[in-house]
Amino acid sequence: ENATSTAVRQKVQIAAPLHYRNLIRRHRRFLTPAAAKTKALQGTEPEPLAGFAMRPPPSPPLLPLLLLLVLLPSPPAVAAAAGPTSLEALRAAAGRRGASPATQERAAAGVLRRLLPSHALSFRFQIDPKGGVCGDSSCFRISNVDGSSKGGAEILIQGNTAVELASGLHWYLKYWCGVHISWDKTGGAQLASVPSPGSLPRVKGTAVKVERPVPWNYYQNVVTSSYSFVWWDWRRWEKEIDWMALQGINLPLAFTGQEAVWQKVFKSFNVTDRDLDDFFGGPAFLAWARMGNLHAWGGPLSQNWLDQQLALQKKILSRMIELGMVPVLPSFSGNVPVAFKKLFPSASITRLGEWNTVDGNPRWCCTYILDPSDALFIDVGQAFIKQQMKEYGDITSIYNCDTFNENTPPTNEPAYISSLGSAIYQAMSRGNKDAVWLMQGWLFYSDAAFWKESQMKALLHSVPIGKMMVLDLFADVKPIWQTSSQFYGVPYIWCMLHNFGGNIEMYGVLDSISSGPIDARTSYNSTMVGVGMCMEGIEHNPVVYELMSEMAFRSQKVEVEDWLKSYSYRRYGQSNVEIQKAWAILYHTIYNCTDGIADHNRDYIVEFPDISPSSFSSQYSKRRSISVVRKHPRFLGEVSASLPQPHLWYSTAEAVKSLELFLKAGDDLSESLTYRYDLVDLARQSLSKLANKVYLDAMDSYQMRDSSDLNFHTKKFLEVIMDIETLLASDDNFLLGPWLETAKSLATTEDERKQYEWNARTQVTMWYDDTKTEQSKLHDYANKFWSGLLKSYYHPRASKYFTRLSRSLQENRSFQLEEWRRDWISYSNEWQSGKELYPVKATGDALAISRSLFAKYFR
């Protein structure tokens, strides 16, 4: 962890053809070896931090990326394709567009100043532009500054880019000073363990050097912009970009503000503002309007929104470039306004089928897609790339496009699929000759029946090797690289998906994270060029995201149990035996999911079943068996075909033991914000899983026609909801109020304020359209365990249902599901349009409340 080493490792030299050696020399700043090395030069590393032992990440024999180039055969289908080699093309995408060394050094210093202003002069940052420190790799190097004056720099951090400098700063703070850095909404940063300026721990020996095993560290999902970023201002974005830099992220998706660019492009094709009002979705639903799933839902977008978001995007991109990141910009996927049908009557434009609407309402259902084979596709795609370059400058060559993501081509003929892929890339390359297509690989899993080997090869090889990168989006659970011969020679990024809908659920696959990227990179003929995090929503499960971020710099598998001891020390700022025991349990339970099921929180409190209890048997309910599920491709999850069964992959009794240990540690850690967040989250999850059992007990009581027992379990279920409400209200990070207030804060008119609040409320509840007697098909997809939402939304829903259920027993008649739906949907629609205020600050003592609830429910 702090890179202790006893000897200097010798670089392995591998003979290679001259043109490969020339390639390395030309792109030495960007080409990295396939195995990271952590070097301690001429000495040993610092003493372990007090309270826990730290061990070095072992260094394997070096296998340079050059070996990959030598060994990797060109797939037969593209053997004759002209164009640069894979790594050359990828590096060219980043080359010549970076900020100057001085700019990047200032940017890294800015990250430090905002994180730890008291130590702004304690570190010196130095870009290594000519490879004197990093050679052909991407790296950071940490060393002492000797002979500096009092109050001057103590530690020198060198690296290729400001991202490497920030990563080196983070590494030093973590493994020399015991610091922990997470999102503010997951407890924030633990910085109290940093010694005062002038007393920073020295690096023993000459220096420590850490190299990336693969070049890219990707970040975001195409829907994260809606589930998490939608209401952010520049202040919040600045914090996120700082976090990204500290985590080593150098390939972030940058989708903000694209509607303003599209407005200018579509107007150049004679589309009117009124046409665009019917095309763009509302702020909270832009991701799905961009994908062509819906149109106009939650809209229209005001000119204020368009201008505001474009200005914000320019700040975002400017900071990313200053830090040496390579932004991934959107490209044209074929989604066009309906007006294109009239404007271009001879164009090949298809009306897509309905997508999760209740009744196919044309006001937001059924979008239009321009066939990539049509010449107009290239014209529009080129115009969009050019307009982005006009707005932002020539800042990147990497563009995202997912035309085929759950949009199955009309035929499985490989030649046709290849022609479509070629046309999509041509639209990019006409706008930017260096364009590289970044594509989500989810379609190869979600629609595996269509995408067989021939079809996959046809798409993947429709552009020159090196001009496409694929995100193995769900590699933490369902890796596609294993079943596709390394994506048939196309470079790919090993990604962790982890979260759906921004749900709040403690969950993880730490063993997969700690070993999966290593297995992929070291596998035979690997074409892996990066790691990535592709969660739908952020600001949860900090342990998962810290470990995944570290894998960008890890060359060997991490011993998770030992790593967690270090993690818990850093996260809470001190060593605690009970906490270490608790995390050992969490590692083997909550954070050890091995069932291969995508985790989407369906606990009954937040996703209440919309069914009649008569539709399933008592025996079925008692079995607690997993229901039959069908894949829901667009939302990367699973939707129940009968009684939904919440995902449960661990022993709840063992998890409750970890909660008890957390409570025992409370007297020592109660002042820690990170401890409080974890305590509340763990108590919330334990109570929610208990509520699932209570719900099923209530259903059993109904089946047995036991009115007394039903009333008992009903009362208990509703009581648990309100107790969780009280618990969540004790921590600022589990409140509904901030979500609504930040939405309203972006408005400049009363109409905007109403619209933005409706968008914010609707996304986390009903999500999409409904009728008087039929809920949205996507209701509760983006559910949240937030104080305010439980009291005003989830509790009334369950109460209405159980009141009618009890009445049906008393009156000896069947449960009137439609009556309940009518009542509930009316209530929900009123709530979505509501204006009531919710707290933005916590109330109550989280530790005292947690202890009280533990005694009430688990003793």
Side-chain angles (χ1 to χ4, degrees):
E1 264 65 305
N2 69 335
T4 307
S5 181
T6 58
V8 179
R9 289 192 174 269
Q10 188 76 20
K11 274 194 175 183
V12 177
Q13 301 296 329
I14 296 182
L18 178 61
H19 66 281
Y20 283 119
R21 296 202 295 274
N22 290 338
L23 168 62
I24 290 177
R25 282 195 288 270
R26 289 199 306 272
H27 301 281
R28 62 182 305 164
R29 176 180 174 188
F30 307 105
L31 191 61
T32 67
K37 308 178 296 299
T38 303
K39 293 186 177 179
L41 305 179
Q42 300 178 8
T44 57
E45 285 318 299
E47 295 299 320
L49 294 174
F52 71 102
M54 296 191 298
R55 301 188 309 177
S59 299
L62 181 62
L63 176 62
L65 192 54
L66 175 56
L67 182 59
L68 172 64
L69 287 171
V70 174
L71 293 179
L72 181 63
S74 296
V78 294
T85 61
S86 169
L87 267 297
E88 183 178 3
L90 296 179
R91 294 310 173 196
R96 65 184 178 78
R97 292 179 170 83
S100 69
T103 297
Q104 294 193 55
E105 289 166 2
R106 287 193 297 270
V111 173
L112 169 62
R113 185 175 62 254
R114 289 183 290 275
L115 175 70
L116 202 61
S118 59
H119 290 69
L121 300 179
S122 299
F123 294 84
R124 181 185 303 163
F125 299 103
Q126 185 179 89
I127 290 292
D128 173 40
K130 297 182 179 180
V133 170
C134 297
D136 298 327
S137 68
S138 294
C139 83
F140 59 78
R141 183 178 185 269
I142 307 171
S143 60
N144 302 311
V145 176
D146 295 318
S148 62
S149 60
K150 185 177 181 181
E154 303 168 67
I155 299 296
L156 170 66
I157 300 177
Q158 299 164 290
N160 309 77
T161 71
V163 170
E164 269 67 38
L165 298 182
S167 301
L169 170 66
H170 189 194
W171 199 270
Y172 175 83
L173 291 175
K174 284 169 70 169
Y175 292 122
W176 275 262
C177 303
V179 159
H180 169 77
I181 299 170
S182 66
W183 292 296
D184 284 354
K185 283 186 71 65
T186 58
Q190 187 289 111
L191 301 169
S193 58
V194 181
S196 60
S199 304
L200 292 180
R202 291 179 61 80
V203 177
K204 291 187 177 180
T206 302
V208 168
K209 176 180 172 182
V210 178
E211 297 180 0
R212 291 184 187 268
V214 283
W216 299 114
N217 189 359
Y218 174 81
Y219 183 56
Q220 293 182 41
N221 187 295
V222 293
V223 302
T224 318
S225 57
S226 289
Y227 283 133
S228 296
F229 307 155
V230 55
W231 310 121
W232 286 5
D233 58 12
W234 169 241
R235 183 179 178 183
R236 178 61 186 87
W237 260 111
E238 185 174 51
K239 289 185 72 69
E240 186 71 7
I241 297 171
D242 284 354
W243 180 88
M244 289 159 54
L246 291 163
Q247 307 300 331
I249 292 162
N250 59 8
L251 190 65
L253 205 61
F255 270 24
T256 301
Q258 63 177 281
E259 282 69 31
V261 180
W262 276 120
Q263 181 189 48
K264 296 174 183 179
V265 171
F266 282 135
K267 280 190 171 183
S268 72
F269 286 88
N270 297 320
V271 175
T272 67
D273 284 330
R274 179 169 293 184
D275 294 330
L276 292 177
D277 285 347
D278 186 55
F279 180 66
F280 295 138
F285 303 96
L286 285 175
W288 299 276
R290 293 165 182 169
M291 290 188 287
N293 302 144
L294 52 80
H295 65 95
W297 179 252
L301 296 179
S302 68
Q303 192 62 47
N304 168 64
W305 173 271
L306 296 170
D307 295 342
Q308 181 187 74
Q309 293 296 298
L310 181 60
L312 180 60
Q313 171 76 332
K314 290 180 178 180
K315 288 185 177 181
I316 292 168
L317 292 174
S318 178
R319 182 59 55 81
M320 287 178 174
I321 297 301
E322 289 172 2
L323 285 164
M325 298 176 183
V326 180
V328 179
L329 292 177
S331 62
F332 181 50
S333 63
N335 189 27
V336 294
V338 64
F340 258 53
K341 289 281 287 182
K342 293 182 179 179
L343 290 169
F344 306 98
S346 62
S348 179
I349 298 174
T350 303
R351 185 175 188 264
L352 298 177
E354 78 86 23
W355 180 84
N356 286 305
T357 61
V358 172
D359 58 3
N361 193 319
R363 287 185 293 168
W364 40 76
C365 167
C366 310
T367 58
Y368 291 82
I369 188 166
L370 176 61
D371 194 310
S373 64
D374 194 294
L376 184 59
F377 186 101
I378 295 175
D379 293 340
V380 176
Q382 177 181 354
F384 182 62
I385 299 293
K386 289 290 188 183
Q387 186 63 41
Q388 286 188 116
M389 294 178 75
K390 182 178 179 181
E391 297 288 345
Y392 314 136
D394 186 9
I395 60 171
T396 187
S397 290
I398 303 184
Y399 299 94
N400 170 257
C401 183
D402 294 307
T403 297
F404 302 112
N405 203 37
E406 291 112 36
N407 177 23
T408 305
T411 174
N412 65 1
E413 175 57 43
Y416 178 78
I417 293 172
S418 180
S419 68
L420 295 185
S422 179
I424 291 169
Y425 178 70
Q426 191 176 357
M428 294 181 197
S429 60
R430 287 275 187 91
N432 185 332
K433 62 181 177 60
D434 298 323
V436 174
W437 179 0
L438 181 74
M439 182 183 73
Q440 291 187 144
W442 176 259
L443 69 168
F444 302 132
Y445 169 72
S446 65
D447 197 5
F450 178 89
W451 293 102
K452 304 295 187 182
E453 179 176 346
S454 296
Q455 289 72 34
M456 285 184 68
K457 284 183 175 180
L459 178 57
L460 294 172
H461 296 165
S462 63
V463 301
I465 293 293
K467 290 295 188 178
M468 176 187 284
M469 280 193 293
V470 182
L471 300 177
D472 198 352
L473 203 71
F474 204 17
D476 52 327
V477 177
K478 302 288 185 182
I480 300 300
W481 69 266
Q482 292 180 340
T483 58
S484 65
S485 299
Q486 307 279 352
F487 287 94
Y488 304 110
V490 172
Y492 73 93
I493 294 176
W494 192 102
C495 294
M496 175 190 77
L497 180 52
H498 186 257
N499 177 267
F500 297 92
N503 298 158
I504 297 174
E505 169 109 288
M506 294 179 71
Y507 157 84
V509 285
L510 295 186
D511 283 342
S512 174
I513 293 168
S514 68
S515 62
I518 310 301
D519 292 339
R521 179 178 54 79
T522 59
S523 61
Y524 179 70
N525 274 355
S526 176
T527 57
M528 175 182 162
V529 295
V531 295
M533 297 183 287
C534 297
M535 61 286 121
E536 289 193 350
I538 64 168
E539 299 177 322
H540 51 80
N541 290 288
V543 65
V544 172
Y545 292 89
E546 175 150 340
L547 180 58
M548 186 64 231
S549 294
E550 278 202 15
M551 297 313 294
F553 296 98
R554 294 284 186 178
S555 62
Q556 285 199 340
K557 298 177 182 180
V558 174
E559 295 296 331
V560 178
E561 198 145 11
D562 290 342
W563 183 86
L564 283 172
K565 293 176 183 178
S566 162
Y567 172 83
S568 64
Y569 177 94
R570 291 183 287 101
R571 180 152 172 81
Y572 311 122
Q574 59 180 283
S575 180
N576 184 283
V577 175
E578 282 80 13
I579 284 292
Q580 287 191 7
K581 290 179 181 178
W583 272 105
I585 293 173
L586 292 175
Y587 167 45
H588 293 292
T589 54
I590 287 175
Y591 290 109
N592 186 38
C593 182
T594 58
D595 60 15
I597 296 176
D599 185 67
H600 182 194
N601 196 335
R602 292 196 178 85
D603 286 351
Y604 293 131
I605 289 176
V606 292
E607 189 170 320
F608 199 80
D610 181 24
I611 58 174
S612 168
S614 302
S615 64
F616 57 93
S617 67
S618 175
Q619 181 181 6
Y620 177 86
S621 176
K622 288 178 180 177
R623 288 202 310 267
R624 312 292 198 256
S625 60
I626 296 176
S627 63
V628 177
V629 296
R630 57 183 172 85
K631 291 178 184 175
H632 192 300
R634 291 282 187 181
F635 276 73
L636 317 186
E638 293 172 344
V639 176
S640 175
S642 53
L643 173 67
Q645 294 291 314
H647 187 200
L648 185 60
W649 63 96
Y650 62 91
S651 164
T652 54
E654 287 297 302
V656 168
K657 289 181 183 177
S658 70
L659 174 59
E660 185 173 19
L661 290 165
F662 257 85
L663 292 170
K664 288 181 179 179
D667 291 339
D668 294 333
L669 301 177
S670 61
E671 297 303 311
S672 165
L673 296 179
T674 47
Y675 165 79
R676 187 175 71 186
Y677 173 88
D678 290 346
L679 173 65
V680 170
D681 204 19
L682 181 55
R684 170 207 60 76
Q685 182 134 331
S686 299
L687 289 167
S688 182
K689 300 307 178 187
L690 173 66
N692 292 339
K693 180 180 182 301
V694 174
Y695 170 86
L696 292 174
D697 288 341
M699 294 301 101
D700 283 347
S701 299
Y702 178 85
Q703 296 290 346
M704 300 297 292
R705 316 299 290 177
D706 189 332
S707 180
S708 175
D709 209 34
L710 173 62
N711 290 337
F712 172 81
H713 292 302
T714 293
K715 181 181 177 181
K716 187 174 182 180
F717 186 83
L718 296 174
E719 190 173 359
V720 173
I721 294 178
M722 293 310 298
D723 282 340
I724 296 177
E725 164 75 21
T726 301
L727 172 69
L728 297 179
S730 68
D731 190 283
D732 289 341
N733 304 303
F734 294 94
L735 306 179
L736 170 64
W739 172 254
L740 300 181
E741 293 307 312
T742 53
K744 291 184 286 185
S745 71
L746 297 184
T748 58
T749 67
E750 179 61 18
D751 285 344
E752 282 185 339
R753 190 200 66 78
K754 291 178 181 178
Q755 179 191 13
Y756 296 174
E757 183 167 8
W758 183 91
N759 269 253
R761 286 170 173 255
T762 297
Q763 189 203 86
V764 299
T765 54
M766 196 63 78
W767 207 107
Y768 205 14
D769 65 339
D770 54 44
T771 66
K772 290 183 178 180
T773 58
E774 188 174 355
Q775 292 196 76
S776 162
K777 293 180 180 179
L778 300 174
H779 71 87
D780 300 310
Y781 182 88
N783 65 67
K784 302 290 189 295
F785 269 101
W786 283 341
S787 171
L789 199 54
L790 272 77
K791 181 178 181 179
S792 68
Y793 194 83
Y794 297 141
H795 185 276
R797 174 171 61 183
S799 179
K800 290 174 179 292
Y801 184 91
F802 282 123
T803 296
R804 290 182 179 277
L805 195 64
S806 178
R807 187 184 306 156
S808 71
L809 277 186
Q810 295 170 5
E811 297 175 356
N812 196 27
R813 67 189 185 107
S814 61
F815 178 73
Q816 302 300 302
L817 179 62
E818 187 168 306
E819 289 182 9
W820 171 74
R821 284 176 173 168
R822 188 182 300 274
D823 184 16
W824 166 244
I825 293 170
S826 174
Y827 179 92
S828 177
N829 291 162
E830 290 180 9
W831 189 92
Q832 291 165 248
S833 299
K835 298 179 182 179
E836 64 275 12
L837 299 177
Y838 293 89
V840 295
K841 290 295 181 182
T843 56
D845 184 327
L847 178 58
I849 293 169
S850 297
R851 283 173 168 167
S852 174
L853 295 178
F854 185 88
K856 179 177 181 178
Y857 290 104
F858 299 117
R859 286 205 186 279

